[in-house]
Amino acid sequence: QVQLVESGGGLVQPGGSLRLSCAASGYIFSINAMGWYRQAPGKQRELVAAISRGDNTNYTDSVKGRFTISRDNAQNTVYLQMNSLKPEDTAVYYCNARIRQYTITPYYDYWGQGTQVTVSS
């Protein structure tokens, strides 16, 4: 029932910017942490940025100072603003959210389908 849909990916030149969005829909009781992961060809998936319900954030070292994660709890949406993009940022970016569907059931991790970000001149 729960679905995460990403948008905002695409092709951009080095130094450019993109803003990714991910909206959760379906029957949702509560959302805890949300985050963005990415996977480049030949590499393992890595955490890019995460944000807690209370808006505490953390970033992988390679994106600190360039990327900003934020969320809109009223809209069940998480964003990733990506500035000063580099070719090494090229990857498929996946949205993640820890969601509780019912009051007495545990949280589960849900994933979006992924959106391609390509940084190239």
Side-chain angles (χ1 to χ4, degrees), residues 72-106:
D72 184 341
N73 292 328
Q75 299 295 322
N76 293 332
T77 301
V78 63
Y79 306 93
L80 185 67
Q81 178 66 47
M82 304 184 293
N83 299 325
S84 301
L85 283 162
K86 304 175 180 179
E88 51 263 45
D89 294 318
T90 296
V92 177
Y93 284 71
Y94 297 91
C95 174
N96 170 266
R98 184 162 293 176
I99 297 174
R100 192 181 211 167
Q101 287 194 276
Y102 307 100
T103 185
I104 60 173
T105 56

Side-chain angles (χ1 to χ4, degrees), residues 7-22:
S7 63
L11 175 65
V12 66
Q13 293 184 331
S17 298
L18 286 173
R19 184 176 185 248
L20 305 183
S21 299
C22 174

